[in-house]
Amino acid sequence: MPPGSRSAEGRLEVITGPMFSGKSEELIRRVNRALIARQEVLVCKPAADDRYHPSQVTSHSGRTAKAIPVAGTPELAAAWRSLEVPAQVIALDEVQFFGADLSALISEMVEAGVRVIAAGLDLDFRGEPFGVLPDLLARAEQIDKLSAICVVCGGTATRTQRLLGGEPADPNGPVVLVGASERYEARCRQHHQLVRERGALGGQEAAAQA
Ligand code: ADP
């Protein structure tokens, strides 16, 4: 596409941070403002994420927005291309569950003049960069990195703690865990633990987690 034909409106906004940091809330807030402005909005989320509702984006505080579940990037592309009225805004939640091919599709959307708002975890439960997120962060016009509250110390949480049966998870476990009895907590860097490091906690902190 020649540069002159690109719309000035196209941009990528990434909302990132650990679980409970308010990414979905912020995504829903931006979607609602676009709807108030009577813009055409497409909201999609990975079908794998059906924790609350298959066709809603839901925040941990209960706010919702209607969303189309898509199995992956090809289905997202198909949903976008089949719109009768072109979308001005495309909001995507839980983008860490999409494959690396999401980046090229988002670039195509942005070059077509779409404002893309992508929310997702920057780090996985091990504290490692999560999937396509680092790539999206590098390409974004705007990044909002949110933090949560550490459940151990009340400080700034930038990490997502996975617990299995109440214990810190093994770093060798799968990055995406479906249907297991896992639980997640927001934690700061100091209190984020993997099973190997369990002995590093003091008695008081260990009691705070029990
Ligand atoms: P995310 O999409 O980042 O997981 P949500 O938007 O779904 O976050 O949820 C954010 C909400 O989660 C907060 O407004 C608050 O009500 C709730 N919450 C629960 N635990 C925590 C925590 N440890 N730190 C911050 N917010 C929390």
Side-chain angles (χ1 to χ4, degrees):
M1 184 184 289
S5 66
R6 288 183 187 177
S7 162
E9 302 300 315
R11 57 191 263 113
L12 171 59
E13 301 168 19
V14 178
I15 305 165
T16 196
M19 278 179 74
F20 304 103
S21 62
K23 300 184 298 299
S24 297
E25 271 178 4
E26 179 58 22
L27 184 87
I28 293 166
R29 191 184 76 87
R30 292 186 199 184
V31 165
N32 284 336
R33 287 171 61 88
L35 291 171
I36 290 167
R38 296 197 190 88
Q39 294 179 334
E40 288 297 327
V41 182
L42 172 67
V43 185
C44 288
K45 61 175 227 171
D49 176 44
D50 59 357
R51 285 171 301 168
Y52 295 102
H53 195 284
S55 55
Q56 273 180 2
V57 171
T58 308
S59 78
H60 288 106
S61 58
R63 294 198 69 186
T64 61
K66 265 190 234 160
I68 297 173
V70 290
T73 301
E75 292 76 12
L76 173 61
W80 176 45
R81 294 188 216 289
S82 67
L83 290 173
E84 280 172 22
V85 183
Q88 295 165 284
V89 177
I90 297 180
L92 307 170
D93 203 12
E94 306 288 357
V95 287
Q96 74 278 354
F97 291 141
F98 286 90
D101 50 358
L102 180 66
S103 182
L105 178 62
I106 287 182
S107 291
E108 199 186 321
M109 290 167 166
V110 170
E111 283 171 25
V114 179
R115 174 188 173 203
V116 179
I117 310 168
L121 294 167
D122 48 356
L123 299 174
D124 64 22
F125 79 99
R126 303 167 304 177
E128 296 296 327
F130 206 149
V132 71
L133 249 295
D135 187 281
L136 299 184
L137 291 172
R139 294 176 198 277
E141 271 75 16
Q142 180 184 329
I143 299 168
D144 288 282
K145 180 154 170 153
L146 308 181
S147 57
I149 304 298
C150 174
V151 298
V152 178
C153 70
T156 300
T158 54
R159 304 286 192 279
T160 303
Q161 175 72 51
R162 179 189 284 174
L163 299 167
L164 286 173
E167 297 292 331
D170 184 333
N172 297 314
V175 170
V176 179
L177 200 55
V178 180
S181 64
E182 84 279 17
R183 195 162 60 81
Y184 293 95
E185 289 179 351
R187 301 233 187 148
C188 66
R189 186 191 283 264
Q190 190 197 344
H191 292 117
H192 178 256
Q193 285 183 293
L194 297 170
V195 74
R196 275 201 296 262
E197 301 163 353
R198 221 184 317 159
L201 265 193
Q204 213 178 354
E205 287 167 350
Q209 288 179 57

